[in-house]
Amino acid sequence: MNITAIQVTPVLAPLPRPVRTASGTIASFPLVLIDVSTDAGVQGRAYAQVYLPELLPALAHCVQGMAGLLMGQPLVPRDLHSLLARRCRLFGLKGMTGVALGGLDMALWDTWARALGQPLVRALGAQLRPLKAYNSVGLYDADSVVEIAGETRAAGFAGLKIKVGFDTLAQDLAAVRAARRALGDDIALMVDYNQSLNPAEAMRRCKALDDEGLTWIEEPVLADDLASCARIAQAVKTPIQIGENFHGPAEMRAAIDARAMDLVMPDAQYIQGVTGWLDAAALAHTAGLPMSSHTFVEASMHLLCATPTADWLEVLDAAGGLRLAPLQLRDGCLTPWDTPGLGMDWNQDAVACHRL
């Protein structure tokens, strides 16, 4: 079975509400939809994402350019991943090239699993199972976070992650405590600084959060400052979570060697798709690190089922407004759809409406 076409569609995917972070607000999610066709009539799909709409045309061109290297090639995902990595070696696989590779790799594995007529998780040798899921939201102060916590409880999530990184530690603490009161003791609470603090301020704030009952504190400092991450992880009782900005498994290996975190959460795109995730899962297993996901809920459901140290599934449903199948949350958990591939098909009317 050979690849005959790869269609690339840039869209601004609608969100139920904007996602505010310490570095800016995401009003709609800039995505590049990737649709693969083969000479056997099998089609598969996935998407790549970039946080800034200004960069969406560049990502679409990058995906299209890399897709051209795959035309006529046999549908063997690992071989195609190696082909792209080899061709990009001189330029590197960070930034747009790494994002494009990750999105294409997910689409290729989806097509491969559809050709087998199996959900991706079964094609990978694992089983469908429920995964504890948390609601991932933006930056809300002590007043506005109460409504979000109530929605999280009503929806049946097992956890809630809020952004922090207000101007003062007092504001962070107030938001955390308000969320905890609204959630009750039976729903997990995580916080995410999105790399917004310098090392000294990160140490101060993380220590101050130590007695707030948090499941983790995420990315308190710059993602590549592994030395500061390690110092904070050693000094703070609350687990430190990083990983969404690992560009490929090699960066995760370096973070493990530096003891930069207590928990790890790679991004299915940045870690270089399904191929990279499987390598990362093996690293986490060897290191004994609980491994969660970052966005890309459709692929992450399948990949966590095949991850020996699987922990939490993040639900920030970037493509939900374009997808036909809704997520099915039950008893705080999500289970992958029992359909071929990732189980993801586009609502073509919605795609046409939100196409760039």
Side-chain angles (χ1 to χ4, degrees), residues 66-78:
M66 292 181 70
L69 300 173
L70 303 177
M71 293 302 101
Q73 295 290 330
L75 182 62
V76 184
R78 279 195 177 273

Side-chain angles (χ1 to χ4, degrees), residues 305-329:
C305 286
T307 299
T309 61
D311 196 9
W312 284 90
L313 174 73
E314 179 176 44
V315 181
L316 197 169
D317 197 6
L322 306 176
R323 201 181 54 236
L324 286 175
L327 301 176
Q328 297 178 333
L329 186 66

Side-chain angles (χ1 to χ4, degrees), residues 83-232:
L83 168 66
L84 292 177
R86 185 172 65 252
R87 293 299 301 273
C88 292
R89 186 169 296 145
L90 294 180
F91 190 71
L93 283 173
K94 289 190 177 184
M96 287 296 180
T97 50
V99 169
L101 173 61
L104 285 164
D105 188 86
M106 285 186 275
L108 294 169
W109 280 94
D110 175 66
T111 310
W112 175 78
R114 286 174 186 253
L116 295 176
Q118 296 181 352
L120 177 62
V121 59
R122 288 207 183 103
L124 293 175
Q127 290 296 323
L128 298 160
R129 60 184 177 88
L131 300 159
K132 59 182 180 179
Y134 71 86
N135 186 22
S136 183
V137 301
L139 189 69
Y140 293 94
D141 62 20
D143 293 326
S144 57
V145 80
V146 173
E147 179 182 355
I148 300 300
E151 290 179 5
T152 299
R153 173 174 280 282
F157 283 99
L160 170 66
K161 185 174 79 179
I162 59 174
K163 308 291 188 186
V164 285
F166 289 99
D167 291 339
T168 68
L169 170 59
Q171 290 171 288
D172 286 352
L173 285 169
V176 167
R177 289 167 181 171
R180 169 51 66 209
R181 286 193 297 270
L183 288 173
D185 294 332
D186 57 330
I187 297 177
L189 179 62
M190 305 84 159
V191 300
D192 185 359
Y193 273 106
N194 284 120
Q195 311 178 66
S196 61
L197 305 176
N198 63 51
E201 183 64 10
M203 184 70 79
R204 186 175 81 93
R205 294 200 189 194
C206 290
K207 284 185 174 180
L209 289 169
D210 247 349
D211 296 321
E212 301 301 325
L214 297 173
T215 299
W216 70 61
I217 299 170
E218 189 174 330
E219 283 199 327
V221 297
L222 291 175
D224 60 356
D225 188 355
L226 300 182
S228 293
C229 285
R231 285 193 293 270
I232 294 167

Side-chain angles (χ1 to χ4, degrees), residues 8-14 28-33 50 52-61 322 348-356:
V8 173
T9 308
V11 297
L12 291 173
S28 54
F29 237 108
L31 307 180
V32 173
L33 310 186
V50 62
L52 298 176
E54 295 84 355
L55 297 181
L56 183 56
L59 176 57
H61 282 297
L322 306 176
Q348 294 298 339
D349 290 338
V351 171
C353 180
H354 296 285
R355 182 170 183 160
L356 188 67

